[in-house]
């Protein structure tokens, strides 16, 4: 019979091996907890070591840091658009230029579909809306849900979106819903409220973009992981536009959709209507400006910190995507507007 000392002594090598595996696993896990996909000039030593350990530069597909609906059912930016065979999904973020974009594409003669109600999306699921090829651009406030239920691996979505600074978007929403009696979310009671009081007690619409991409509702909290997934999903799958650069953004989307940006009569008329001298912004609502740094602005910024980080990242992407759009422009077959 073995003595206790002999049993412990014989088990010691196995114990050391287990400890080594555990420590190694913790080290690897800590390396992968670093926020990924910084530009090469900004990568930390830890991120460099992570890639050295793996022996390759990881792509977004390999690290699986984009949402499954985007990874499986949308076109990557590396794939040149094929407008005649694709349907564009326009993520309509409220008060960020989506309504103007709808009007422009209707003016340009495009077939526009609006799917911003989950129940309507489910009803359309079995009707072959996308596979029919009858829709040029679909607008939806539920990008993940719409893509997951209306597209398939044989009919992937080409995704575009217009973005606006999160605080400016919320300020616009506050004043717009005070007067928009035609909207289901009309809030006439907000007319008598100070925007700071509204930000403190009434506004539940915080970190909208990060939550929406994660499939979360307003009452749920956004996390740093949600932000990381949102950044990489948008970087690899979304053509981004900026409300502050609306005309250029629409021209970029036109290239993706194969719309001729040359000055045909129809194109010139539509663009002049929305961007020409003396044109009035459609669906605009004049309201007092909330100054950056004011108590109301600061509170809204604090409550939307993840969305602001995402927006600042999108500003960088807008500049970086110029080269991608230029490459599309020389490859995409265009049709007269």
């Amino acid at each position: 019979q073995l003595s206790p000392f002999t049993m412990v002594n014989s088990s010691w090598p196995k114990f050391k091996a287990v400890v080594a595996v555990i420590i190694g696993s913790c080290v690897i896990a800590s390396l992968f907890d670093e926020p990924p996909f910084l530009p090469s000039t900004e990568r930390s030593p830890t991120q460099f070591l992570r890639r050295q350990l793996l022996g390759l530069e990881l792509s977004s597909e390999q690290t699986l840091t984009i949402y499954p609906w985007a990874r499986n059912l949308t076109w990557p930016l590396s794939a040149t658009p094929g407008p005649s065979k694709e349907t564009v999904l326009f993520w309509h973020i409220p008060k960020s230029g989506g309504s103007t974009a709808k009007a422009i594409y209707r003016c340009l003669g495009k077939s526009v579909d609006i799917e911003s109600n989950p129940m309507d999306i489910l009803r359309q699921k079995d009707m072959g809306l996308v596979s029919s090829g009858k829709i040029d651009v679909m607008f939806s406030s539920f990008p993940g849900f719409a893509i997951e239920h209306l597209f398939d691996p044989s009919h992937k979505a080409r995704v575009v979106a217009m973005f606006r600074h999160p605080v400016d978007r919320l300020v616009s929403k506050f004043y717009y819903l005070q007067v928009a009696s035609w909207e289901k979310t009309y809030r006439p009671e907000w007319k008598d409220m100070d925007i700071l009081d509204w930000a403190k007690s009434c506004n539940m619409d915080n970190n909208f973009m990060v939550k929406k991409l994660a499939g979360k509702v307003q009452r749920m909290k956004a996390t740093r992981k949600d932000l990381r997934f949102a950044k990489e999903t948008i970087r690899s799958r979304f053509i981004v536009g900026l409300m502050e650069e609306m005309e250029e953004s629409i021209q970029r989307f036109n290239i993706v959709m194969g719309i001729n940006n040359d000055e045909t009569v129809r194109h010139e008329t539509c663009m002049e209507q929305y961007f020409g001298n003396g044109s009035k912004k459609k669906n605009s609502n004049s309201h007092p400006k909330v100054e950056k740094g004011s108590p109301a602005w600061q509170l809204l910024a604090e409550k939307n910190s993840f969305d602001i980080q995402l927006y600042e990242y999108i500003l960088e992407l807008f500049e970086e995507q110029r080269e991608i759009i230029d490459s599309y422009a020389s490859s995409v077959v265009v049709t007269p507007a």
Side-chain angles (χ1 to χ4, degrees), residues 115-165:
E115 298 294 344
S116 288
N117 183 307
M119 294 306 298
D120 290 340
I121 290 172
L122 291 176
R123 279 192 285 270
Q124 292 282 9
K125 183 177 180 179
D126 299 323
M127 297 179 64
L129 180 66
V130 172
S131 60
S132 70
K134 296 178 180 179
I135 302 300
D136 294 315
V137 55
M138 178 187 298
F139 285 77
S140 181
S141 298
F142 296 85
F145 192 82
I147 289 170
E148 198 168 23
H149 290 88
L150 298 178
F151 293 81
D152 60 62
S154 298
H155 304 89
K156 294 183 177 182
R158 178 70 63 174
V159 191
V160 304
M162 195 80 73
F163 296 93
R164 185 182 191 179
H165 191 286

Side-chain angles (χ1 to χ4, degrees), residues 115-281:
E115 298 294 344
S116 288
N117 183 307
M119 294 306 298
D120 290 340
I121 290 172
L122 291 176
R123 279 192 285 270
Q124 292 282 9
K125 183 177 180 179
D126 299 323
M127 297 179 64
L129 180 66
V130 172
S131 60
S132 70
K134 296 178 180 179
I135 302 300
D136 294 315
V137 55
M138 178 187 298
F139 285 77
S140 181
S141 298
F142 296 85
F145 192 82
I147 289 170
E148 198 168 23
H149 290 88
L150 298 178
F151 293 81
D152 60 62
S154 298
H155 304 89
K156 294 183 177 182
R158 178 70 63 174
V159 191
V160 304
M162 195 80 73
F163 296 93
R164 185 182 191 179
H165 191 286
V167 174
D168 293 339
R169 186 187 76 80
L170 287 170
V171 171
S172 178
K173 173 185 174 180
F174 169 68
Y175 286 108
Y176 174 72
L177 291 181
Q178 294 177 17
V179 299
S181 57
W182 54 91
E183 298 281 6
K184 293 179 181 179
T185 50
Y186 175 46
R187 293 290 183 271
E189 65 273 19
W190 289 357
K191 288 182 181 179
D192 300 321
M193 292 189 71
D194 178 78
I195 191 167
L196 179 58
D197 294 332
W198 174 78
K200 288 179 179 177
S201 59
C202 292
N203 177 45
M204 303 297 292
D205 185 17
N206 296 313
N207 289 316
F208 172 89
M209 296 188 295
V210 172
K211 288 180 184 177
K212 188 65 71 172
L213 290 173
K216 292 183 173 181
V217 296
Q218 287 184 349
R219 67 176 180 273
M220 301 172 74
K221 288 186 177 181
T223 67
R224 189 159 295 281
K225 179 181 177 182
D226 296 333
L227 174 61
R228 186 165 66 246
F229 270 65
K231 283 184 174 182
E232 186 54 28
T233 297
I234 290 175
R235 186 198 69 81
S236 62
R237 301 299 171 131
F238 281 59
I239 296 296
V240 302
L242 302 176
M243 188 171 172
E244 292 75 12
E245 300 286 349
M246 175 77 84
E247 185 171 3
E248 180 177 345
S249 298
I250 291 295
Q251 289 174 346
R252 291 187 185 194
F253 298 162
N254 287 353
I255 290 171
V256 171
M257 296 171 63
I259 297 173
N260 193 340
N261 275 325
D262 293 336
E263 293 186 354
T264 60
V265 174
R266 184 168 196 163
H267 180 275
E268 187 175 4
T269 300
C270 292
M271 297 301 278
E272 179 70 21
Q273 181 179 348
Y274 289 92
F275 302 114
N277 294 330
S279 63
K280 185 180 184 298
K281 287 185 178 179

